[in-house]
Structure formats: C-alpha cells, structure tokens
C-alpha cells in the first residue's frame, strides 16, 4: 500500500480530517493548539486557516462554513476567519472540551466530550434548532462515530474501553437505543480512535498507539490493516472527486523520536475503495 505524506505540521494531536464537498478540500485540526489546516488536492497547496481555542472537532454546515466544537463545550461557526458563537459553554464541561463529532443524516450533530476532573465523558446531540441534549454519560473518551449505509444504525467509539459500539438510530428523532458491542479491539492493539464507514458498510478505525488503520466488515471481522510510521494514528476520512482517496491524521508531532517519523502528519492513500460523502450539519441555518 502506497502511503503518501501530504503535510507535516508537527501536530500534537492531528485529528478530525474532513472532506469539504463544496470547496473540495480537506480540513484537519491540531486539537490542543486550536489550529485548523486545509489542503487542496488540485493545486497541492496546504496551509493553516485558523488558530484559537482548542478545537476538538468540526462539521461542514450546509452553507459551507465550518462548525467548531471547542473547549468548555463552546460551539461556534468559523466564517472568513472569524468565530460566531452558538454556545459559549456547557456548564458541566467547563473543565474539559469536545472531542470527536459527526453530523447525522438530518443535519444534527452528535458531539462527544473528554472526561472532566470530576466526571466521565458524555455524548451530546445538537439539534438543528440549536438545542443541545446529553444522550450518553459515563463515557471514558467519546470518539469516532459513523452511520451504516442504510442510516438505521450508528457506530460509537469509547476509546478506553476498547469498544466500538453499535446503536439503533432513529433518523426522525435522533434517538439512539439498543447499544451493543460491534468490536472490542483487545488490550494489546492500541486504542480505537477516529473512524469512518465506507460505501459498502465497512468500518475503518484508526488505532492510537497502534500505528495502524484497521478495516472491519459490517459483521465485525477484521479484514485489513494498514501500517503507518507513527504510533498514534488518530482518524480517517474519504474524499476526492470519487471519494476513493483516504486521508489519515497522526498525532505526536512534538516527539518524532518517540512517536515515529510520521507523527503529527496528514497522509493520503487510495485502495480503490469508495467512501461516501459525510453529512452536512444544518444548525441554526
């Protein structure tokens, strides 16, 4: 497998790669530094477009702007370099930050948090009217999510438990139910981090401290593993004109000796497998 280095910004926690279907570029973040980067595969150019508060994750809104999920539970639109806040903070999350997020097929956003000093992580649902609801509590670290191709089920990763869960998902209400374990990745294979689902329903799970990207069949069988020159492989997304380019982020760029020469980077690979466009959020539009 040919793994192509696209950009190396020595990201401490390079995360959240997202293909922007309107401007046809890849965006990704360095969480603790609050940096957001953009890569244009047509021109080959890339650069930093934002630096501010910690950015745990983001979605693309239906109007093309980025919706950022930040520290203290803050949520804001990034428009021409300026932040427009939808929510300044969630009181329970003042000591922590958002982590991975995903827009659902109806334009809502599921947004998870890191644990706080006095309580575990949570998963929230941000509805299109701007209201936010806690849907899961007692989470170790809320991480990668994805939807089955029929949009009737949602995957959810709780990293410290080594579990990728599967929920029944109701597109009409956004309700999650019937949680069960899709895959337990075991105690000796790093930590499941970001993930995405391809057009055939295979799950691609990035392996923090596992130096790899792992593909599971819809039945939960491991069918492929791709190795990276970095211990902390953090997330993956499909993009490109035909959604066969896979963009993968790695973390640990502040310590390439310990974390590997490919730490803190954005990579691209193409296995001839098609992904599908991510859903667009429609919060407050």
């Amino acid at each position: 497998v040919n793994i192509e280095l696209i950009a190396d910004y020595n990201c401490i926690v390079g995360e959240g790669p997202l293909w922007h279907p309107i401007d046809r570029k890849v965006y990704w973040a360095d969480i603790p530094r609050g940096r957001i980067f953009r890569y244009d595969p047509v021109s080959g150019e890339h650069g930093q477009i934002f630096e501010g508060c910690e950015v745990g994750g983001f979605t693309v809104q239906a109007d093309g702007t980025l919706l950022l999920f930040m520290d203290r539970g803050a949520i804001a639109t990034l428009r021409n370099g300026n932040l427009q806040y939808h929510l300044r903070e969630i009181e329970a999350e003042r000591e922590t930050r958002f982590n991975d997020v995903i827009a659902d097929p109806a334009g809502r956003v599921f947004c998870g948090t890191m644990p706080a000093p006095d309580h575990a992580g949570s998963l929230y649902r941000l509805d299109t009217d701007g209201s936010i609801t806690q849907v899961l509590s007692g989470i170790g670290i809320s991480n990668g999510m994805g939807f089955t191709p029929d949009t009737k089920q949602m995957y959810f990763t709780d990293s410290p438990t080594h579990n990728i869960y599967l929920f029944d998902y109701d597109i009409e209400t956004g309700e999650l139910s019937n949680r069960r374990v899709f895959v337990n990745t075991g105690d000796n294979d790093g930590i499941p981090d970001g993930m995405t689902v391809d057009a055939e329903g295979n799950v691609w799970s990035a392996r923090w401290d596992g130096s790899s990207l792992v593909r599971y069949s819809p039945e939960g069988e491991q069918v492929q593993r791709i190795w990276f020159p970095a211990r902390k492989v953090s997330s993956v997304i499909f993009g490109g004109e035909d959604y066969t380019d896979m963009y993968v982020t790695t973390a640990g760029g502040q310590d390439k000796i310990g974390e590997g020469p490919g730490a803190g980077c954005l990579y691209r690979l193409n296995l001839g497998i098609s992904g599908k466009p991510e859903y667009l959020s429609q919060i407050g539009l």
Side-chain angles (χ1 to χ4, degrees), residues 16-278:
L18 199 58
W19 175 258
H20 195 307
I22 298 168
D23 71 11
R24 297 179 174 175
K25 298 179 178 73
V26 180
Y27 291 76
W28 74 103
D30 184 7
I31 292 177
R33 292 179 180 151
R35 301 189 295 171
I36 299 176
F37 306 97
R38 178 173 62 196
Y39 166 66
D40 180 352
V42 175
S43 69
E45 294 177 354
H46 53 77
Q48 180 177 309
I49 64 156
F50 177 78
E51 185 167 10
C53 303
E54 289 184 309
V55 177
F58 54 90
T59 61
V60 178
Q61 288 267 76
D63 66 358
T65 57
L66 297 186
L67 187 64
L68 309 187
F69 293 77
M70 298 177 291
D71 54 356
R72 301 173 64 91
I75 302 170
T77 301
L78 177 61
R79 195 188 302 270
N80 302 324
N82 297 313
L83 290 181
Q84 177 186 348
Y85 281 88
H86 294 260
L87 191 64
R88 288 281 178 177
E89 65 176 25
I90 297 172
E91 191 172 336
E93 310 299 344
R94 283 177 179 166
E95 300 297 313
T96 184
R97 63 166 173 83
F98 279 115
N99 198 38
D100 216 328
V101 305
I102 194 170
D104 84 351
R108 311 173 190 96
V109 181
F110 285 93
C111 38
T113 59
M114 301 290 286
D118 62 343
H119 62 83
S122 298
L123 182 67
Y124 292 89
R125 186 186 68 240
L126 178 64
D127 286 304
T128 52
D129 65 2
S131 61
I132 192 162
T133 306
Q134 185 187 41
V135 292
L136 296 175
S137 59
I139 302 300
I141 293 177
S142 182
N143 230 317
M145 292 171 275
F147 294 90
T148 54
D150 65 5
T151 69
K152 291 180 178 175
Q153 295 170 314
M154 188 182 102
Y155 296 98
F156 172 77
T157 306
D158 184 358
S159 290
T161 68
H162 302 261
N163 284 328
I164 302 172
Y165 293 104
L166 189 58
F167 287 88
D168 292 342
Y169 159 76
D170 185 335
I171 192 171
E172 298 299 325
T173 63
E175 292 294 322
L176 301 178
S177 59
N178 189 26
R179 179 168 80 172
R180 61 269 192 203
V181 175
F182 169 68
V183 163
N184 180 282
T185 63
D187 294 336
N188 303 308
D189 189 24
I191 299 165
D193 199 337
M195 62 157 282
T196 195
V197 182
D198 68 23
E200 295 178 355
N202 297 289
V203 170
W204 297 81
S205 171
R207 221 34 117 244
W208 183 271
D209 285 341
S211 304
S212 57
L213 178 65
V214 182
R215 175 190 180 191
Y216 296 100
S217 72
E219 293 72 44
E221 296 294 318
Q222 182 179 318
V223 291
Q224 190 171 10
R225 184 185 293 265
I226 297 159
W227 296 97
F228 287 80
R231 290 184 63 219
K232 292 176 169 54
V233 181
S234 57
S235 194
V236 55
I237 202 75
F238 284 89
E241 291 295 322
D242 56 1
Y243 287 90
T244 63
D245 288 328
M246 302 175 75
Y247 290 93
V248 178
T249 47
T250 62
Q254 77 284 4
D255 177 20
K256 280 181 155 61
I257 293 171
E259 296 290 346
C265 298
L266 177 73
Y267 285 93
R268 177 170 61 196
L269 61 153
N270 191 308
L271 303 171
I273 294 168
S274 293
K276 54 188 189 354
E278 291 293 304

